[in-house]
């Protein structure tokens, strides 16, 4: 390559390391934010469920008072316990989505290798300094030398589609990690019948930022008794133990209104949007402060808002029912026809870089201009994916007891009767590992999975005569390439094998009068593994109220994202830190699922392969007595890196093995992608050699290219 020389580190590399030029740093990740409010601690004992029909009870100790997404430090996977006392220690590691993160964070552990050493405590490590002067830069091949005051930016690289190994299959042994069913304020408002969301609202690691390094929080609305059409409370609890974060009452928020979360004002922190009994939208800051109230919208009290930057201007819009709002709550447009039931769906259907509001019988632009309308089509619940693998998105519509597939222009490809009666929000994923997407739909008397041509793959009996329109989630918990369906009807929580519907879990006692809710699969406590988040109400069925979180007793479930920000969720519609992408990557190309958070290929074999790269000529900078080391982590494997990437810098100083620096990066690294460079500022005095290591908490197809050794002396 001309201009920007790049050296891939696949083993030991010899580098001349003296005073090449300037040094600043950059890393991809979360944007900065302000400190959030804390809450009271809550402990809950959990009873372990077993397969088959059974009753599960849990006794929850209630909190006192109370007012995303990776771990606050290196993730430590500990044995499952019946209490929810997960602890998250703080770290100095941060990242910024638009510019550089520059500090090498300190920990007291290493991940093995040719050297070991003890790091300093309280934010420093032996021989390491930090620099917060990072500036932006680009990495394009311009033919000009890389300027040394510009951090090497992320770039595209090679990928190996044959990077695969036999999966280390985990077990499916769910255990209730905690339940939350009583409240310090509004104590009678315990019923939950709206799908929750998961975002980060508090600065749990005390680094001055609220982002995906903090513990995620679960947000939902509650009502009292059977009053689900009455005003209720908007609540948030911590994902690691259920402690109360927010309790918002006296705002006329409907007790079953949907919630959407995302950074709508560009401050780097998530805001919350929901709907009142008067049909208006309200936005709240992360600490519960009312941000704005929309004009009268006439929105359904059951509306699930959506947040998206529809026109790519850097200012996200908020869509509630037929209304498109600016990010300050002012009304931008009102559409005329379908709205996709009560859950707004926004996606770029035509690939022009602008996103559209998609209904079952109409599509609109950001200003409410009709792109097309077909009066012969019924509106309904919406899902978007490339069903026929022709590289363009299709629209799945569920409504009126039928399921249909249509093109982005509304041309119907097939239309079939739903065998279970009714039909709720479609979940689209590769259920059976055949490389093609399927559609899961829950209805009145059954759950059914449809092939991409409309044929039924399998169906199982369920019970939901209430709304007949609940939803589901899909996730490959065990890493065996077979997805599992998580579904909660009026009386039971069930998990089905995605390939054939075999029942893997059936818990009696989880109940709901049902509206449009569904369980989530999220890493809700930053333990590096997925959990199931289930809501409960008992005014008509079941024995539970509030929220319950399930994890794996054996700590073997695959990792998941730490965010699920709205009902019409898809992976690329929100960044890990809750910011809203200006131009989101097409989810139907990257993951081809909808209402699923599973990032991995469906065959269970394809794996990532993390590597390091050092850019030349600015490999090092020796300046002001400090040695600056640039590192670009990348992935040349066949599937995304979905767990945190840890970079460790070890060295030999005056004959002693020491830890020089450590940084954990929360970013997902897609195949063929390299992240922005991370800088480690080192003291070169007595430094005889440097070893740089990169690691992830998941399988790789090649571990031989994770380490580089740089012999000294340096800056002499």
């Amino acid at each position: 390559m001309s201009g920007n020389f790049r050296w891939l580190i696949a083993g030991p590399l010899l580098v001349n390391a003296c005073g090449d030029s300037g040094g600043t740093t950059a890393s991809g990740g979360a944007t900065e934010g302000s400190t959030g409010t804390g809450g009271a601690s809550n402990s809950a004992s959990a009873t372990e469920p077993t397969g088959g029909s059974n009753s599960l009870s849990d006794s929850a100790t209630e909190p006192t008072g109370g007012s995303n997404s990776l771990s606050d430090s290196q993730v430590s996977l500990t044995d499952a316990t019946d209490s929810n006392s997960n602890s998250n220690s703080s770290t100095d590691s941060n990242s910024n989505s638009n510019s550089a993160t520059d500090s090498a964070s300190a920990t007291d552990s290493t991940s093995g290798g040719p050297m070991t050493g003890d790091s300093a405590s309280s934010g420093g490590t032996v021989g390491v300094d930090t620099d917060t002067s990072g500036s932006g830069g680009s990495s394009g091949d311009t033919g000009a030398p890389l300027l040394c005051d510009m951090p090497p930016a992320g770039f595209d690289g090679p990928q190996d589609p044959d990077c695969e190994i036999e999966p280390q299959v985990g077990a499916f042994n769910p255990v209730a990690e905690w339940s939350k069913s009583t409240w310090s304020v509004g104590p009678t408002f315990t019923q939950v019948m709206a799908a929750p969301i998961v975002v980060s609202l508090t600065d749990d690691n005390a680094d001055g930022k609220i982002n995906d390094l903090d513990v995620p929080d679960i947000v939902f609305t509650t009502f009292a008794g059977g009053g689900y059409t009455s005003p209720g409370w908007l609540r948030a609890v911590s994902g690691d133990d259920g402690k109360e974060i927010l309790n918002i009452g006296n705002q006329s928020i409907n007790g079953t209104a949907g919630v959407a979360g995302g950074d709508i004002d560009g401050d780097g922190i998530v805001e919350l949007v929901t709907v009142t009994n008067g049909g208006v939208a309200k936005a709240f800051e992360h600490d519960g402060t009312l941000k704005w109230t929309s004009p009268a919208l006439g929105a359904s009290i059951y509306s699930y808002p959506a947040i998206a930057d529809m026109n790519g201007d850097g200012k996200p819009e908020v869509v509630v029912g037929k209304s498109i709002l600016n990010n300050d709550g002012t009304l931008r447009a009102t559409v005329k026809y379908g709205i996709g039931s009560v859950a707004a769906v926004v996606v770029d259907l035509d690939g022009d870089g602008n996103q559209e509001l998609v209904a079952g019988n109409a599509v609109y632009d950001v200003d409410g201009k009709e792109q097309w309308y077909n009066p012969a089509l019924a509106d309904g619940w919406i899902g978007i994916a490339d069903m026929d693998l022709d590289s363009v998105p299709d629209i799945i519509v569920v409504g009126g007891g039928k399921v249909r597939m249509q093109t982005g222009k509304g041309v119907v490809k097939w239309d079939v009767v739903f065998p279970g009666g009714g039909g709720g929000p479609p979940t689209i994923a590769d259920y059976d590992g055949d490389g093609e997407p399927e559609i899961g739909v829950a209805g009145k008397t059954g759950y059914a999975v449809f092939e991409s041509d409309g044929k039924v793959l399998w169906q199982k009996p369920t019970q939901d005569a209430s709304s007949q329109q609940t939803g589901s989630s899909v996730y490959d918990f065990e890493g065996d390439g077979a997805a599992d369906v998580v579904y909660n009807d009026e009386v039971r929580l069930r998990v089905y094998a995605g390939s054939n519907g075999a029942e893997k879990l059936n818990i009696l006692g989880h109940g709901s009068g049902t509206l449009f809710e569904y369980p989530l699969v999220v890493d809700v406590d930053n333990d590096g593994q997925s959990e199931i988040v289930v809501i409960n109400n008992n005014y008509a069925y079941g024995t539970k109220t509030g929220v319950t979180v399930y994890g794996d007793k054996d700590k073997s479930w695959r990792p998941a994202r730490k965010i699920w920000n709205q009902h019409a969720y898809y992976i690329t519609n929100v960044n890990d830190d809750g910011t809203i992408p200006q131009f989101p990557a097409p989810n139907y190309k990257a993951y081809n699922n909808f209402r699923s958070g599973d990032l991995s290929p469906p065959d269970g074999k394809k794996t990532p392969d993390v590597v390091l790269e050092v850019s030349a000529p600015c490999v090092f900078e020796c300046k002001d007595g400090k040695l600056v080391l640039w590192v670009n982590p990348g992935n040349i494997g066949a599937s995304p890196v979905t767990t945190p990437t840890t970079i460790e810098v070890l060295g030999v100083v005056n004959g002693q093995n020491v830890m020089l620096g450590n940084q954990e990066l929360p970013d997902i690294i897609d195949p063929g992608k390299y992240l922005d460079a991370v800088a480690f500022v080192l003291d070169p005095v007595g430094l005889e050699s440097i070893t740089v290591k990169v690691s992830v908490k998941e399988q790789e197809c090649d571990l031989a290219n994770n380490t580089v050794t740089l012999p000294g002396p340096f800056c002499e």
Side-chain angles (χ1 to χ4, degrees):
M1 299 175 63
S2 64
N4 296 345
F5 301 100
R6 304 188 190 285
W7 297 335
L8 180 66
I9 298 176
L13 177 68
L14 185 62
V15 180
N16 283 330
C18 254
D20 283 325
S21 11
T24 54
T25 67
S27 71
T31 56
E32 296 186 2
S34 62
T35 304
T37 59
S41 102
N42 176 52
S43 174
S45 64
T47 303
E48 177 186 345
T50 58
S53 175
N54 66 308
S55 174
L56 177 69
S57 65
D58 62 348
S59 60
T61 303
E62 302 315 321
T64 59
S67 35
N68 178 91
S69 321
L70 298 205
S71 75
D72 299 333
S73 62
Q74 286 185 302
V75 177
S76 175
L77 304 183
T78 59
D79 293 336
T81 65
D82 287 341
S83 67
N84 47 352
S85 58
N86 297 339
S87 174
N88 293 285
S89 60
S90 65
T91 177
D92 292 333
S93 169
N94 311 293
S95 58
N96 188 295
S97 62
N98 295 318
S99 60
T101 294
D102 29 38
S103 64
S105 73
T107 69
D108 59 1
S109 63
T110 68
S111 61
M115 307 178 189
T116 59
D118 295 326
S119 65
S121 60
S122 303
T125 55
V126 174
V128 63
D129 196 0
T130 59
D131 179 2
T132 58
S133 60
S135 62
S138 62
S139 63
D141 256 341
T142 63
L146 182 67
L147 297 177
C148 295
D149 61 349
M150 300 172 66
F155 56 93
D156 293 335
Q159 65 181 97
D160 178 10
D162 298 320
C163 178
E164 59 181 40
I165 56 178
E166 288 300 319
Q168 294 180 0
V169 179
F172 190 77
N173 193 3
V175 59
E177 294 188 351
W178 57 264
S179 281
K180 172 70 173 172
S181 57
T182 62
W183 310 94
S184 61
V185 292
T188 62
F189 291 78
T190 64
Q191 311 275 25
V192 188
M193 202 164 60
I197 63 170
V198 173
V199 293
S200 288
L201 300 174
T202 56
D203 180 17
D204 301 290
N205 63 354
D207 67 350
K209 300 176 176 63
I210 301 175
N211 53 32
D212 44 340
L213 298 176
D214 296 303
V215 176
D217 304 304
I218 308 170
V219 187
F220 47 91
T221 52
T222 63
F223 61 96
Y228 63 88
T229 62
S230 301
W233 286 70
L234 177 63
R235 303 191 191 273
V237 299
S238 178
D240 61 353
D241 57 9
K243 68 178 177 290
E244 296 177 27
I245 302 297
L246 290 179
N247 291 300
I248 303 174
N250 301 318
Q251 291 288 342
S252 193
I253 298 167
N254 180 258
T256 50
V259 185
D263 176 16
I264 62 175
D265 60 5
D267 65 353
I269 311 175
V270 165
E271 285 81 35
L272 305 172
V273 182
T274 189
V275 181
T276 73
N277 269 62
V280 305
K282 287 190 175 183
F284 297 89
E285 300 284 2
H286 69 282
D287 61 0
T289 302
L290 179 64
K291 184 177 185 65
W292 50 252
T293 299
S294 76
L297 305 178
S300 166
I301 60 175
Y302 308 123
S303 293
Y304 285 91
I307 301 172
D309 188 352
M310 294 182 67
N311 58 356
D313 65 352
K315 298 178 180 180
E317 282 73 38
V318 176
V319 184
V320 182
K322 292 187 176 183
S323 301
I324 301 173
L325 306 176
N326 296 308
N327 68 342
D328 61 359
T330 56
L331 182 64
R332 184 182 188 103
T334 301
V335 304
K336 187 175 181 180
Y337 300 112
I339 56 171
S341 194
V342 297
V345 175
V346 180
V347 68
D348 182 1
L349 276 180
D350 54 14
D352 66 351
N354 295 316
Q355 299 182 71
E356 290 81 37
L357 172 58
V358 183
N361 56 6
V363 170
Y364 306 94
D365 69 11
V366 67
D367 295 315
K369 181 180 179 181
E370 179 186 308
Q371 303 297 292
W372 61 261
Y373 167 62
N374 187 341
L377 299 178
D379 197 11
W381 295 100
I382 304 300
I384 307 291
D386 179 7
M387 298 304 302
D388 51 11
L389 303 183
D390 63 353
S391 298
V392 295
D394 302 295
I395 305 172
I396 300 300
V397 185
V398 180
K402 302 184 77 176
V403 180
R404 73 176 183 266
M405 170 183 158
Q406 58 197 42
T407 69
K409 296 294 187 180
V411 177
V412 176
K413 308 292 284 188
W414 51 260
D415 191 0
V416 300
V417 173
F418 179 68
T427 298
I428 305 174
D430 186 352
Y431 280 68
D432 56 7
D434 66 352
E436 299 181 0
E438 286 83 33
I439 307 155
V441 180
K444 178 179 179 180
T445 62
Y447 188 96
V449 175
F450 297 84
E451 298 278 14
S452 58
D453 60 2
K455 295 178 181 177
V456 174
L457 176 64
W458 57 261
Q459 56 182 310
K460 293 293 178 179
T462 59
Q463 176 183 323
D464 183 14
S466 300
S467 73
Q468 308 174 29
Q469 297 182 73
T470 47
S472 62
S473 294
V474 177
Y475 206 80
D476 181 5
F477 293 98
E478 297 150 274
D480 59 359
D484 298 312
V485 181
V486 186
Y487 171 63
N488 190 55
D489 63 10
E490 289 175 338
V491 293
R492 296 178 186 274
L493 171 65
R494 291 180 171 92
V495 175
Y496 301 110
S499 58
N500 58 16
E503 198 168 81
K504 303 178 70 171
L505 182 69
N506 185 323
I507 301 175
L508 180 66
H510 279 282
S512 177
T514 78
L515 278 171
F516 318 121
E517 71 270 22
Y518 60 92
L520 310 183
V521 180
V522 188
D523 180 3
V524 78
D525 57 5
N526 277 347
D527 67 351
Q529 299 182 11
S530 53
E531 283 87 30
I532 301 171
V533 180
V534 186
I535 60 91
N536 313 282
N537 59 84
N538 63 7
Y539 79 94
Y541 303 96
T543 60
K544 291 175 171 288
T545 61
V547 178
T548 302
V549 170
Y550 288 91
D552 180 40
K553 182 180 181 181
D554 302 312
K555 296 292 183 183
S556 66
W557 288 356
R558 286 181 47 250
R561 288 190 88 189
K562 286 79 178 172
I563 192 167
W564 193 298
N565 76 315
Q566 58 193 35
H567 193 285
Y569 165 83
Y570 54 91
I571 293 169
T572 62
N573 79 276
V574 64
N575 297 320
D576 288 344
D577 59 1
T579 56
I580 304 301
Q582 187 174 2
F583 300 103
N587 196 74
Y588 65 88
K589 291 183 179 180
Y591 303 103
N592 209 21
N593 55 21
F594 199 85
R595 294 190 177 93
S596 171
D598 204 332
L599 299 163
S600 297
D603 62 3
K605 294 182 179 181
K606 294 188 182 298
T607 60
D609 183 13
V610 293
V611 293
L612 299 170
E613 184 171 284
V614 174
S615 297
C618 297
V619 178
F620 293 118
E621 174 197 348
C622 300
K623 183 179 180 181
D624 299 328
K626 299 296 181 183
L627 173 65
V628 181
L629 172 67
W630 295 110
V631 179
N632 284 90
N635 175 17
I636 61 172
S639 69
V641 172
T642 59
T643 58
T645 300
T646 299
I647 301 174
E648 294 179 311
V649 180
L650 305 100
V652 176
V653 180
N654 296 325
Q656 300 295 316
N657 296 330
V658 296
M659 170 71 78
L660 300 178
N662 178 297
Q663 181 140 327
E664 185 174 84
L665 307 177
D667 307 77
I668 294 168
I669 311 179
D670 288 320
K673 299 293 183 180
Y674 285 77
L675 300 182
D676 293 345
V678 178
F680 294 88
V681 184
L682 312 176
D683 183 353
V685 177
L687 185 58
E688 300 164 14
S689 67
I690 299 171
T691 294
V692 186
K693 299 173 58 179
V694 63
S695 61
V696 292
K697 299 174 178 67
E698 56 190 301
Q699 288 183 297
E700 297 182 60
C701 64
D702 186 0
L703 294 175
N705 53 10
N706 291 30
T707 302
V708 57
T709 297
L710 309 171
F714 305 97
C715 300
E716 291 185 355

